Amino acid sequence: MTRSGEGDLLVAMEQMLAVNGIELCTETFGSPTDPPILLIGGKSASMDYWEDDFCAALAAGGRYVIRYDHRDTGRSTTWPAGKPGYTWRDMVADVPGLLDALDLDRAHLFGISMGGALAQCAAVLYPERVATMVLNQTTSAFEGVELPPIGEAMADFFAAAAERPMPDMDDHDALVAMLVEDQRAFIPKRFDEQRMRAVCEKAVKRTPDMRPTFENHDAAPEGERIEGALADITAPTLVIHGTADPLMPVGHGEILAREIPGATLLTLDDVGHEPPPPYTWETAVPAILDHTA
């Protein structure tokens, strides 16, 4: 796979990077001479939920695409289940830490869900490191904002999930089946089971122990408090939000676009709590490339 008109290969390159005293598994697409865009995943999500073809589409548009496994996901450093040796503030610090490890002064940040909150905090704490932001299916990282509640079906899902028995952590197929069904709850419309199964298969295969992945992000304490507000964000911001998100309804995106100075909003019809799916790429990818130009 090559970029049109050029010889640069858009090949993914995985590496383990020393960041803040730990190792984060990182993968890059495209040329390091292009503007970098750091993809920041959601809670308990390895980099695999940023699909290869989506990363390649951004790289083909002239971006140096970086995705990574959070602490306690994928191949990055893990801690015992229920005993994370880090705080939320440490996960925020991983953003500039990754840029340092890659010898980058700053980058465009693209955060989904929890990753969007991490991006907001990074934009407040380290504004000189953030070129622009794309906030996807996320909500305010700061207090003082009145937000719409989660959907009733999503609330019912969480109640049922709290009571169900967990599968054998050594049973690959059972883990994949559970993750696929969980994703179905977050994507109530146009759910592509075959595509999602491939993503979950890869995530489970790359993760030596899923126990810390399931437990530790929720268990991590806040750490040193981050003082800030949406109005403090100076990075140019594009908010992308699906109209069918049952966890963070589209009103969350509307509030972000209203409260972050100069932010713009792109809504994607029928999209749930997920990165932009393939049927939206004709719209979403050009919008991201234009924003990060």
Side-chain angles (χ1 to χ4, degrees), residues 163-185:
E163 299 297 326
R164 72 183 177 192
M166 292 295 286
D168 181 343
M169 290 294 139
D170 295 321
D171 188 334
H172 173 92
D173 291 342
L175 286 169
V176 171
M178 184 188 74
L179 288 175
V180 170
E181 289 310 303
D182 285 355
Q183 289 300 307
R184 192 189 304 275

Side-chain angles (χ1 to χ4, degrees), residues 48-237:
D48 306 294
Y49 290 86
W50 298 107
E51 294 179 76
D52 292 354
D53 288 346
F54 178 68
C55 296
L58 294 175
R63 300 293 177 272
Y64 182 47
V65 182
I66 307 153
R67 63 181 180 181
Y68 70 101
D69 292 327
H70 285 299
R71 299 164 182 247
D72 277 317
T73 73
R75 295 188 176 124
S76 291
T77 297
T78 62
W79 285 259
K83 298 179 180 179
Y86 56 90
T87 66
W88 168 265
R89 181 69 177 256
D90 292 326
M91 295 184 75
V92 176
D94 287 342
V95 172
L98 275 168
L99 300 186
D100 289 341
L102 291 164
D103 198 26
L104 297 171
D105 291 332
R106 63 179 190 158
H108 305 282
L109 305 185
F110 188 151
I112 182 170
S113 194
M114 181 191 79
L118 291 171
Q120 293 169 52
C121 291
V124 167
L125 291 175
Y126 316 103
E128 72 283 356
R129 310 302 298 273
V130 182
T132 71
M133 278 200 305
V134 180
L135 300 179
N136 183 205
Q137 307 305 138
T138 191
T139 190
S140 175
F142 309 108
E143 297 178 353
V145 182
E146 187 173 348
L147 298 165
I150 67 171
E152 183 176 347
M154 192 87 259
D156 291 343
F157 164 78
F158 283 130
E163 299 297 326
R164 72 183 177 192
M166 292 295 286
D168 181 343
M169 290 294 139
D170 295 321
D171 188 334
H172 173 92
D173 291 342
L175 286 169
V176 171
M178 184 188 74
L179 288 175
V180 170
E181 289 310 303
D182 285 355
Q183 289 300 307
R184 192 189 304 275
F186 286 89
I187 307 171
K189 295 186 177 182
R190 300 188 68 164
F191 182 71
D192 185 337
E193 181 172 341
Q194 182 177 2
R195 181 174 64 86
M196 189 53 61
R197 184 170 297 277
V199 170
C200 295
E201 286 271 6
K202 187 177 179 183
V204 173
K205 184 177 181 180
R206 292 184 59 255
T207 306
D209 184 359
M210 293 295 294
R211 295 174 186 87
T213 297
F214 289 144
E215 296 184 31
N216 284 0
H217 287 176
D218 278 331
E222 181 180 359
E224 184 182 353
R225 185 175 178 81
I226 298 172
E227 299 291 345
L230 294 176
D232 298 330
I233 294 173
T234 57
T237 300

